[in-house]
Amino acid sequence: MRLGKLLIIFFISQLAVISPLYAGAPVNVTDYPSLNEKQIGHVRHMINLANKLDGDWSMMGNTGGGMNFDAYQFQIAFAAYALAVTQDHFVPAHRDLYQDTSARLIKKMMYKDVWDYWAQMSKGEWRIDENGEDHYYTEDDWFGWIDPNIKQNIMYSGHLLQMLGLHESLFDDDRYDKPGSLTFNFAPVAYGESPLEIVYDHSRLATVIYDQFVEDDFRGIECERNKVYTECNQHPILGLIHYDYKHGTSYAPLVQEEFKKTIINRGYVHPDTHTTMLSLDVHLDEVIHKTYAWSDGWNGLVHHAWDKEYVEALYDEQVKLYMPQMLEGEPGENMGWTASFDFGWLAVLAAEVGDAATVNLMLEYADQYFNPTWLDGGYYYPHTSDYKENFRRDDEGKIGNISPVTGNYLVGFARLMPKDGMWSLYNRTRDNEFFAQPYVDGVDYSQATVSQAYYDSGEDALIVTIVPSESASNAVTFAVNQLEFGTRYQIFRDGESIGIAGSNESATAWNSEQQLIISNELDSPHSYVIVPASSLVKDSR
Amino acid sequence: MRIENKLMLVLFFLLAACGSGQPDAAQVHAYLIAHPEFVLDNPDVGEAVKSAAEQRRRQAEETGRRKLLEVNSPLIRSVLTPTFGNPDATVSIIQFSDYQCVPCKKTYVELDSVKNSRNDIEVLYLELPVYGSVSDLAARAAIAANINDVFPEYHHLLMLNDAGLDVARIREAAIAAGMTDWQVENSFNDPEIKNYLAQIRVFAEELDVNGTPTFLIGNQLVRGAVTAPQFNVFIDRNLSAKTR
């Protein structure tokens, strides 16, 4: 045996002497965020839907039949936001599942059923001419304009931009920066027209949207022709914040500053009621005020991410206005007409601003009246068959109509959302140091869920909890990445030391890629704490 | 008379009437540009154009599929893919299916009878689990069953299983088919099998498969349950196309 090897063996044996194994974990896993059973269910339901084949929209309702908030683009986008918040808060050291799902959701946004329908809808414009007649489409609407991002469709493009920004900033993944990475394919069948490719990438989308803000003098980009909604314009702002952060540009600050002035000066938020306008009629240049909980919930949720104090100052008045008539009885005049949407978006805003009492009340209500259902490890509230008649309440005055976006995503989002969940995504962005930290991957989604994964840099400890699914086999393995190879790590399972990483007794092994492979039994949830053995020695002195 | 022929005939007489004799493509083009109202005034011409466009779209799809099949040939013909029949058969049937999919189970019996009644086909079974976690595990075990030469038995047991599926039932079927408990357990976590299935999924989505069962019979994509007589029609159509 070579002398070097002998020296290493001697050195390691001495280390074993000076760093005895410690029986109790140095940190308590309950001190770190962890998904509970229902939260795991919501996450799995959202991922299950994202995992469906392209073109399979089962459980997501029908996007057709005119303007509605259950359109696939909104469901897909809110799945992305809910999963982003979840990943950021509960499992920042577990990225592969969420990164793959995010890419799947972006791919779904590029699916023609999603973008083309709304490109068409956004060209719709109800106008009444001087003779009092309705006008909707023009020939130009149908044949002269296919690109879903270029104008007057921020209710699609804004979501796409936000999703791209989240993907890049959460996972340090720049795949959408590549030219042509976002190519929309349109294949008209009529009259032998050639297929059309509309070629985008992250940068082009950001630029196109920024230019529209400037062109519209920051009054907000039309979500559909002739209509500016405040909430639609919040999403591209968040998209630009992340874009700037990863690309070194500075699009967002000007848009934030100027759009905020518009909100105040044009009364997009009514100074007396503190509620968000329904919309701005561009042709009439008229702000249309309504008091809709969905509108305040939706706008507040996204606006809060970049203007926390302002939104929190409005929230108390808004929640007083909408609760408790939200939950039972005849809705008052100052109440939205879309009970299920109102419920969903207000619940998410309440969670974002940390109004735990309202959130808990609403979650209990949903669990009692919305037919909660478990399916393939997922927890959700199935949409009712006549969900498009959204106003209906039952004989007791309870909300009886659940829409897909509420049942699939919004209630789950409210349950997953920690206080300031959205705000954190845009104010505690991830840097290179974060991406160099230890993390886990390779946990088989079909058999288990990672309910917590957190690297505590102060303690130099990686905390991971694996919860078996219903369809679990006996065991799964997972990999721990970016540990310092050659360092002795002590592993604690469920609070007890199981030995040094790589040793037989710890059921772990280093592989050739310097990953630590851990074999985890799926008999019940198990928590792991992985720390350098040397740090325990230091602490014990 | 086919509508496309009618279009040509109309144009021919039209241009002949103008004294130009047999019209060439440039003349037809110039005439239509000068008189677009001709198409508007003759709805059957518009229909003919639509029909031609549809035919072109179908041809483009078929060309795209042919390319995809070519590029993915190593995957489709992987040793992990369960196959039946003559690999030199004139017609290949690629089946995308899931063990929890009811129409897949119905089609199983139909395809089985077709397999038993003719020797000019090859069937390639591409596992496409779309019904969630249990389907994932059932598909992994199916590939392991193929590795262990007991795929037909395992496939038969699960396709005829009309009770719900869970991990215990998958195990039971795999062991009844001839696998060991260790082989079954191993299949659930085999990275090679998982990677293979992930590639099948990508291939399916590229083919625009959006549900199970879906069949690629020759170069023709057939969605949903298929009866034995329908299978035979599709197969014969492919055979005659190849003969031509």
Side-chain angles (χ1 to χ4, degrees):
Chain A
M1 190 179 288
R2 291 174 58 184
L3 179 63
K5 269 192 178 173
L6 282 171
L7 279 172
I8 290 169
I9 290 169
F10 172 76
F11 178 71
I12 289 174
S13 65
Q14 290 308 297
L15 260 181
V17 172
I18 61 169
S19 58
L21 298 183
Y22 283 78
V27 296
N28 188 346
V29 297
T30 59
D31 292 341
Y32 299 88
S34 180
L35 293 163
N36 64 31
E37 188 187 10
K38 282 184 182 170
Q39 287 171 324
I40 288 175
H42 286 303
V43 169
R44 290 190 72 90
H45 179 67
M46 292 180 200
I47 294 177
N48 289 347
L49 291 186
N51 281 345
K52 284 188 175 296
L53 290 172
D54 288 345
D56 177 358
W57 305 109
S58 46
M59 293 195 274
M60 293 177 70
N62 180 355
T63 207
M67 169 73 185
N68 76 78
F69 297 144
D70 291 307
Y72 300 144
Q73 66 191 47
F74 298 132
Q75 296 195 56
I76 293 166
F78 274 87
Y81 308 148
L83 292 172
V85 165
T86 302
Q87 201 278 330
D88 189 52
H89 183 70
F90 294 98
V91 287
H94 168 48
R95 294 196 281 278
D96 58 346
L97 173 67
Y98 291 82
Q99 185 173 359
D100 290 348
T101 306
S102 167
R104 271 194 175 285
L105 291 169
I106 290 168
K107 184 166 172 253
K108 283 184 190 292
M109 285 291 272
M110 304 295 297
Y111 197 71
K112 189 169 166 293
D113 284 13
V114 178
W115 69 263
D116 174 58
Y117 174 78
W118 282 99
Q120 300 296 340
M121 283 308 295
S122 292
K123 295 175 199 175
E125 177 188 14
W126 286 106
R127 290 184 69 186
I128 298 173
D129 67 15
E130 59 276 12
N131 301 319
E133 287 180 14
D134 276 2
H135 289 279
Y136 197 50
Y137 294 108
T138 67
E139 190 172 317
D140 174 65
D141 293 328
W142 288 108
F143 299 114
W145 170 21
I146 303 296
D147 184 334
N149 305 307
I150 204 72
K151 60 179 179 177
Q152 295 173 311
N153 190 22
I154 199 69
M155 67 181 176
Y156 170 83
S157 56
H159 288 291
L160 182 60
L161 184 66
Q162 188 181 353
M163 290 169 73
L164 296 173
L166 282 166
H167 188 89
E168 188 168 20
S169 58
L170 284 180
F171 309 119
D172 199 26
D173 180 348
D174 63 358
R175 74 178 81 175
Y176 302 108
D177 288 345
K178 292 185 179 60
S181 52
L182 301 164
T183 296
F184 298 82
N185 293 296
F186 183 77
V189 291
Y191 301 104
E193 290 175 19
S194 301
L196 188 65
E197 278 193 347
I198 307 161
V199 181
Y200 274 86
D201 52 46
H202 195 174
S203 291
R204 181 172 180 227
L205 186 64
T207 312
V208 159
I209 287 177
Y210 176 76
D211 288 347
Q212 289 174 69
F213 270 117
V214 174
E215 193 179 314
D216 294 333
D217 199 19
F218 303 100
R219 60 115 160 89
I221 301 166
E222 284 161 80
C223 307
E224 54 190 291
R225 280 182 64 170
N226 196 37
K227 298 284 182 196
V228 172
Y229 294 82
T230 319
E231 56 275 7
C232 280
N233 282 275
Q234 303 288 2
H235 294 282
I237 289 175
L238 297 187
L240 289 174
I241 290 173
H242 272 160
Y243 183 82
D244 284 345
Y245 178 68
K246 295 300 276 189
H247 296 257
T249 48
S250 55
Y251 292 137
L254 180 65
V255 178
Q256 288 170 268
E257 185 185 337
E258 294 298 322
F259 191 58
K260 178 68 180 287
K261 280 185 200 163
T262 303
I263 289 173
I264 304 295
N265 297 341
R266 295 296 315 266
Y268 283 9
V269 171
H270 196 287
D272 299 332
T273 60
H274 300 140
T275 54
T276 312
M277 70 171 181
L278 172 64
S279 61
L280 170 77
D281 185 308
V282 173
H283 292 299
L284 300 176
D285 194 27
E286 183 186 332
V287 171
I288 299 165
H289 282 290
K290 297 282 180 190
T291 45
Y292 290 158
W294 67 261
S295 179
D296 286 318
W298 187 338
N299 182 62
L301 165 72
V302 206
H303 194 173
H304 188 260
W306 64 272
D307 202 1
K308 186 171 151 64
E309 289 75 20
Y310 177 73
V311 171
E312 287 178 8
L314 302 172
Y315 173 77
D316 286 347
E317 293 296 321
Q318 292 171 347
V319 83
K320 262 187 231 159
L321 176 65
Y322 300 125
M323 300 287 280
Q325 61 176 330
M326 168 77 72
L327 305 182
E328 58 190 345
E330 283 296 313
E333 282 181 14
N334 288 334
M335 185 70 197
W337 49 273
T338 53
S340 166
F341 298 138
D342 288 325
F343 184 96
W345 269 297
L346 191 72
V348 190
L349 172 62
E352 168 74 7
V353 300
D355 179 0
T358 299
V359 176
N360 292 337
L361 184 67
M362 295 179 88
L363 293 177
E364 280 171 23
Y365 186 91
D367 284 343
Q368 195 171 352
Y369 299 109
F370 290 2
N371 184 27
T373 300
W374 287 94
L375 180 67
D376 191 23
Y379 186 66
Y380 74 116
Y381 309 93
H383 70 76
T384 44
S385 56
D386 51 354
Y387 68 88
K388 287 187 179 174
E389 303 298 321
N390 214 285
F391 186 62
R392 188 173 67 79
R393 296 204 175 202
D394 68 14
D395 295 342
E396 293 174 7
K398 301 283 193 299
I399 296 172
N401 231 343
I402 311 306
S403 67
V405 73
T406 302
N408 287 329
Y409 303 107
L410 296 181
V411 179
F413 195 178
R415 182 169 269 132
L416 290 162
M417 178 81 86
K419 182 180 183 319
D420 296 331
M422 283 290 280
W423 180 89
S424 293
L425 288 174
Y426 295 89
N427 294 276
R428 293 182 186 143
T429 38
R430 296 175 171 181
D431 54 16
N432 290 340
E433 192 184 329
F434 172 87
F435 288 111
Q437 291 171 351
Y439 67 95
V440 295
D441 66 10
V443 177
D444 185 18
Y445 173 74
S446 298
Q447 303 187 66
T449 304
V450 178
S451 64
Q452 69 177 165
Y454 190 88
Y455 174 71
D456 184 335
S457 55
E459 299 286 345
D460 198 6
L462 180 66
I463 296 99
V464 181
T465 298
I466 312 278
V467 179
S469 302
E470 276 176 30
S471 55
S473 63
N474 294 337
V476 288
T477 58
F478 62 95
V480 185
N481 302 269
Q482 296 185 163
L483 293 174
E484 236 173 271
F485 189 64
T487 296
R488 282 163 50 85
Y489 287 92
Q490 188 167 349
I491 302 181
F492 297 88
R493 181 176 135 141
D494 301 332
E496 300 291 321
S497 173
I498 57 170
I500 293 293
S503 65
N504 288 338
E505 73 272 20
S506 66
T508 67
W510 293 97
N511 69 11
S512 57
E513 292 165 26
Q514 303 190 353
Q515 295 171 305
L516 180 69
I517 305 299
I518 299 182
S519 177
N520 173 71
E521 288 174 10
L522 291 172
D523 51 348
S524 62
H526 292 299
S527 294
Y528 295 85
V529 176
I530 301 166
V531 288
S534 57
S535 71
L536 297 176
V537 174
K538 191 171 63 186
D539 289 343
S540 67
R541 283 175 183 163
Chain B
M1 187 188 292
R2 283 169 62 91
I3 204 157
E4 292 88 343
N5 295 340
K6 186 176 177 184
L7 168 66
M8 289 315 296
L9 199 65
V10 166
L11 288 170
F12 176 80
F13 284 123
L14 226 151
L15 288 162
C18 297
S20 53
Q22 175 88 16
D24 60 21
Q27 283 173 311
V28 173
H29 181 262
Y31 183 85
L32 286 175
I33 293 293
H35 303 282
E37 70 281 358
F38 179 81
V39 177
L40 298 174
D41 294 341
N42 293 275
D44 53 346
V45 175
E47 286 304 314
V49 173
K50 271 188 194 172
S51 164
E54 175 61 16
Q55 199 178 343
R56 191 174 288 179
R57 187 186 65 79
R58 261 193 237 143
Q59 279 169 351
E61 271 183 14
E62 283 189 16
T63 307
R65 274 203 291 274
R66 212 167 285 132
K67 275 186 195 158
L68 275 173
L69 281 171
E70 208 176 296
V71 170
N72 287 282
S73 178
L75 173 69
I76 300 164
R77 302 271 166 198
S78 155
V79 291
L80 298 182
T81 302
T83 56
F84 166 87
N86 174 9
D88 298 322
T90 322
V91 177
S92 293
I93 300 176
I94 294 178
Q95 172 186 296
F96 294 94
S97 66
D98 178 302
Y99 288 111
Q100 292 194 93
C101 142
V102 175
C104 297
K105 290 170 193 279
K106 279 187 182 163
T107 304
Y108 168 71
V109 185
E110 303 289 326
L111 181 58
D112 221 33
S113 76
V114 174
K115 277 162 50 184
N116 294 332
S117 66
R118 53 195 305 166
N119 57 10
D120 52 359
I121 57 167
E122 177 195 25
V123 183
L124 298 105
Y125 298 90
L126 299 190
E127 301 291 333
L128 185 64
V130 293
Y131 285 91
S133 306
V134 176
S135 292
D136 284 339
L137 299 191
R140 292 175 199 173
I143 303 305
N146 185 48
I147 294 168
N148 291 289
D149 295 327
V150 292
F151 174 78
E153 294 82 355
Y154 172 83
H155 189 66
H156 179 77
L157 287 169
L158 283 200
M159 279 299 176
L160 292 187
N161 167 47
D162 54 6
L165 196 59
D166 57 20
V167 178
R169 260 203 193 97
I170 295 168
R171 269 206 185 90
E172 197 182 311
I175 288 166
M179 289 168 71
T180 66
D181 197 30
W182 180 87
Q183 285 169 335
V184 183
E185 185 65 23
N186 214 33
S187 75
F188 293 150
N189 294 298
D190 186 323
E192 192 188 358
I193 292 176
K194 283 201 262 182
N195 183 43
Y196 163 80
L197 290 171
Q199 288 181 61
I200 296 290
R201 160 93 187 214
V202 171
F203 171 55
E205 286 189 329
E206 284 172 345
L207 270 178
D208 198 25
V209 171
N210 56 15
T212 56
T214 296
F215 299 89
L216 194 59
I217 304 174
N219 196 26
Q220 188 171 5
L221 200 63
V222 181
R223 301 175 196 276
V226 182
T227 62
Q230 286 170 330
F231 269 123
N232 283 320
V233 169
F234 286 125
I235 294 164
D236 292 339
R237 194 183 289 164
N238 264 278
L239 280 172
S240 70
K242 289 198 174 179
T243 311
R244 278 204 305 270

